[in-house]
Structures are given as structure tokens and as C-alpha cells.
């Protein structure tokens, strides 16, 4: 039960962070009108502020990531059929979210903080993404496209983590139904045993008579 609590709490924690970013991402992805330069500037300033946070902030974030992973690994130790199905799928989604975080979000924050959108951060590592159809024609994305990619990554990560919570809720429901059915069977067996005992006592009384 404690392992379930830690994994679900870690997932909910990250969903809360992504929800706090949604007002900044919304104008870039979810409105019919094209985003204004002010929308891009607001998001860029906010992300630079986040990336410049004191070192204790990312440390806490990474500790929560590790706590969530630990919760899933504990639940998958000597797993039941329910654990293999729900927790195994939850762990896969959790790791997919971690890959999105490392590959897109962390990298995007570095690019935005540096302000160098059209150059490589390091040799062989292009900014947030590339555009171009043919090999060798790739070009680093500009500021607007980089911010859109980061906003889309936040949405993808939120959907992945929501999938984790859905699977955990499904596991809770399945275990609850299983416990109810087991309790019902126990009561029926107890009632059957009690009825058999009453019948046997009645038969013994008739014989004595």
C-alpha cells in the first residue's frame, strides 16, 4: 500500500507541475488565432526563470522521480497477476515520460536559457528539434518553433502521466472487486457450513427421539 501511495503521489506531483505550465502553453497550441509575440515572450521568460531556479529545486524534482520509480519497483517485486498487468504498464508509461522529460524538456530549457536557438548546443546536439526533409538539410528550430515543441512535450508528458493514474485507478478498482467477491464467497461458505451444522444437529435430535 505504501508503494502504491508513493508512485501515485509522484505522478500526481508531476501532473500538478504541468498543470501550472498550461496557461503558458495554451496560447501556443490550443487557440484558433495564431499566438502573438507577447505569448512567446511570456513563456520564454517563465521558462528562463524556472531553469535559473536554485539547485535544490531540480534536486527535489529528481528525488520525486526516483521515489516514483522505487514505488513501482517495490510493487513489481514478486508480483501478482494484477501487478504484472497494471504496474508493468504503468512503469512503461512512467519511463516514457522520463524519456520525454530528458530528451525534450531538459534540452529545451537549456536552449531557451542560452538564447541560442539556431546553433548547436554541443557538437552533434542540435537545439530542441530540427526541420528539413533530406539528410544533411536539417536546420535547428527557431525560437517560436522551439517553444511550441516544448509546449507540445509538456502536453505529451501530461497525457502519459494521466495514463499512469488511469492504470493505477484500474488496478485499485480490480483489487476492490476481487476483495468484494472473495468476501462474498467467504460469507456464502460460512452460511453453507452453518446450514449443514444445523441440519446435522436436527438429525441427531430425531435419532435420540
Amino acid at each position: 500500500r505504501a508503494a502504491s501511495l508513493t508512485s501515485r503521489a509522484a505522478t500526481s506531483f508531476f501532473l500538478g507541475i504541468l498543470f501550472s505550465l498550461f496557461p503558458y502553453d495554451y496560447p501556443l497550441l490550443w487557440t484558433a488565432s495564431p499566438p502573438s509575440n507577447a505569448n512567446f515572450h511570456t513563456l520564454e521568460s517563465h521558462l528562463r526563470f524556472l531553469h535559473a531556479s536554485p539547485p535544490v529545486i531540480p534536486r527535489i524534482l529528481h528525488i520525486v522521480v526516483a521515489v516514483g520509480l522505487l514505488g513501482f519497483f517495490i510493487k513489481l517485486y514478486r508480483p501478482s497477476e494484477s501487478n504484472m498487468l497494471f504496474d508493468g504498464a504503468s512503469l512503461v508509461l512512467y519511463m516514457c515520460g522520463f524519456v520525454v522529460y530528458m530528451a525534450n524538456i531538459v534540452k529545451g530549457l537549456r536552449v531557451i536559457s542560452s538564447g541560442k536557438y539556431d546553433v548547436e548546443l554541443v557538437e552533434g546536439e542540435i537545439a530542441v528539434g530540427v526541420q528539413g526533409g533530406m539528410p544533411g538539410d536539417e536546420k535547428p528550430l527557431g525560437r517560436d518553433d522551439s517553444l511550441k515543441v516544448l509546449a507540445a512535450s509538456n502536453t505529451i508528458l501530461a497525457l502519459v502521466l494521466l495514463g499512469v493514474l488511469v492504470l493505477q485507478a484500474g488496478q485499485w478498482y480490480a483489487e476492490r472487486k476481487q476483495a468484494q467477491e472473495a468476501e462474498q464467497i467467504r460469507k456464502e461458505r460460512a452460511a453453507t457450513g452453518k446450514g449443514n451444522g444445523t441440519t446435522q444437529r436436527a438429525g441427531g435430535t430425531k435419532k435420540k427421539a
Side-chain angles (χ1 to χ4, degrees):
R1 186 170 295 179
S4 298
L5 180 62
T6 56
S7 57
R8 294 167 188 171
T11 305
S12 301
F13 175 79
F14 295 129
L15 279 173
I17 294 176
L18 293 171
F19 181 76
S20 69
L21 294 173
F22 188 66
Y24 299 93
D25 297 338
Y26 183 83
L28 275 64
L29 300 176
W30 305 107
T31 56
S33 58
S36 64
N37 188 61
N39 297 135
F40 288 110
H41 179 71
T42 300
L43 177 59
E44 184 181 34
S45 300
H46 180 68
L47 293 177
R48 284 181 176 176
F49 174 77
L50 286 180
H51 194 249
S53 300
V56 66
I57 303 299
R59 288 172 187 167
I60 292 174
L61 186 67
H62 296 154
I63 287 173
V64 176
V65 172
V67 167
L69 281 174
L70 181 62
F72 284 120
F73 286 138
I74 291 175
K75 293 178 73 176
L76 287 171
Y77 178 71
R78 294 180 179 176
S80 63
E81 184 178 353
S82 173
N83 292 129
M84 284 297 294
L85 177 62
F86 290 101
D87 291 325
S90 297
L91 181 59
V92 170
L93 286 179
Y94 195 87
M95 292 305 299
C96 289
F98 182 74
V99 170
V100 171
Y101 167 71
M102 294 300 297
N104 285 2
I105 297 177
V106 171
K107 193 174 180 181
L109 288 174
R110 291 174 183 171
V111 173
I112 292 167
S113 295
S114 68
K116 300 177 181 179
Y117 295 98
D118 297 324
V119 297
E120 295 183 351
L121 288 180
V122 295
E123 183 179 358
E125 181 179 353
I126 299 177
V128 179
V130 295
Q131 56 186 359
M134 299 298 293
D137 293 340
E138 296 88 352
K139 296 179 182 179
L141 297 178
R143 185 195 72 157
D144 294 357
D145 289 331
S146 296
L147 290 172
K148 286 182 179 180
V149 169
L150 193 58
S153 299
N154 290 338
T155 302
I156 293 171
L157 182 56
L159 292 175
V160 169
L161 294 177
L162 188 62
V164 173
L165 287 186
V166 169
L167 285 170
Q168 292 298 301
Q171 182 184 29
W172 171 82
Y173 180 79
E175 291 177 347
R176 182 170 174 268
K177 291 295 291 183
Q178 185 178 9
Q180 289 177 347
E181 291 175 359
E183 180 66 17
Q184 183 67 24
I185 292 172
R186 186 189 66 80
K187 289 181 178 179
E188 290 176 356
R189 288 178 177 175
T192 302
K194 185 177 180 181
N196 291 338
T198 303
T199 302
Q200 291 175 358
R201 286 196 297 271
T205 304
K206 289 180 179 180
K207 289 179 180 180
K208 290 180 180 178

